[in-house]
Amino acid sequence: MNFETWLAFTTACIVLTLIPGPSVLLVIGQSLTRGKAAAMMCILGDVIGSIVLMGLSFAGVGAILAASALLFQVVKWVGVLYLAWLGYRQIAEARQTPAEDENITTPGQAHSAWRSFWAGTITAILNPKAIIFYMAFLAQFINPQADLTAQLAILTLTSSMVVVVLLTCYALVAARARQVFQSPVARKRMGYTGGTFMIGGSVLMATTR
């Protein structure tokens, strides 16, 4: 792969990642409600989910989804409902936020971080449009005459690094906003806001053709 092709791919990845989608809204929601650690676990899950999607795209699953409208809709709506459920759960937890200030670290926080990881992974995988998109998008930067494995490795690593950097920027901005408002009432409102972002991501996934 020559440098010009790699640079074009990197630029395209940056532009596409900057556009707020379900994953971006999920990361912002996690950062607002659970903090930077949970957001980073969510980003890690999203990267792993994206790598799985790229592999599925090259395996031909994208072509199957494109050919089967029913299968596409099933996968799509499972993803929509899952993300909406995450948002609902977050809002429900915000309603139960205690009135007094609590800064105690509990074992449940580690469990919460892993929940964020799986939320990022599952949300990424349950996006059939992303599978089809990767199949069409990556093909434009592949040279069929060159080593396909090496090219796929380069594109996967590049895409993953772009996602990590840009989603981390989104997470840090949201975490900074979270730190500004530390009162119990503000944390409750942050919970509502984070849940709303997740539900917004599900709506975006549902309405995008």
Side-chain angles (χ1 to χ4, degrees):
M1 177 179 293
N2 58 50
F3 178 75
E4 290 76 12
T5 300
W6 176 83
L7 185 60
F9 175 78
T10 303
T11 302
C13 284
I14 291 173
V15 172
L16 293 170
T17 305
L18 282 174
I19 299 173
S23 293
V24 170
L25 296 178
L26 177 62
V27 168
I28 292 175
Q30 291 288 311
S31 186
L32 285 173
T33 56
R34 303 185 187 280
K36 288 185 290 187
M40 294 307 297
M41 290 294 286
C42 184
I43 292 170
L44 176 61
D46 183 81
V47 169
I48 291 177
S50 297
I51 292 173
V52 171
L53 286 186
M54 294 176 78
L56 290 175
S57 298
F58 273 91
V61 175
I64 296 174
L65 288 175
S68 174
L70 177 60
L71 181 58
F72 180 92
Q73 290 298 321
V74 168
V75 176
K76 170 184 173 178
W77 284 103
V78 169
V80 168
L81 294 174
Y82 176 72
L83 194 52
W85 178 77
L86 290 177
Y88 166 76
R89 282 285 304 274
Q90 189 57 62
I91 292 174
E93 289 178 12
R95 294 183 62 184
Q96 299 173 3
T97 298
E100 65 274 7
D101 217 346
E102 293 185 355
N103 293 315
I104 302 174
T105 301
T106 63
Q109 289 179 321
H111 175 67
S112 176
W114 280 108
R115 280 200 312 177
S116 298
F117 168 81
W118 287 113
T121 304
I122 295 172
T123 298
I125 292 175
L126 291 179
N127 188 351
K129 291 183 290 294
I131 300 178
I132 296 172
F133 169 78
Y134 274 125
M135 192 169 187
F137 180 64
L138 293 178
Q140 301 178 43
F141 301 93
I142 292 290
N143 179 3
Q145 306 302 322
D147 187 337
L148 294 179
T149 301
Q151 292 180 85
L152 180 58
I154 292 171
L155 295 179
T156 300
L157 179 60
T158 300
S159 176
S160 298
M161 291 302 298
V162 168
V163 168
V164 168
V165 171
L166 295 183
L167 289 188
T168 297
C169 290
Y170 276 114
L172 291 177
V173 171
R176 179 59 180 170
R178 181 176 186 264
Q179 291 173 358
V180 172
F181 304 99
Q182 287 296 318
S183 70
V185 173
R187 288 202 301 270
K188 183 183 289 285
R189 290 176 179 171
M190 284 293 177
Y192 288 138
T193 301
T196 301
F197 268 105
M198 296 180 202
I199 293 175
S202 72
V203 172
L204 182 63
M205 186 183 292
T207 56
T208 303
R209 294 181 180 277

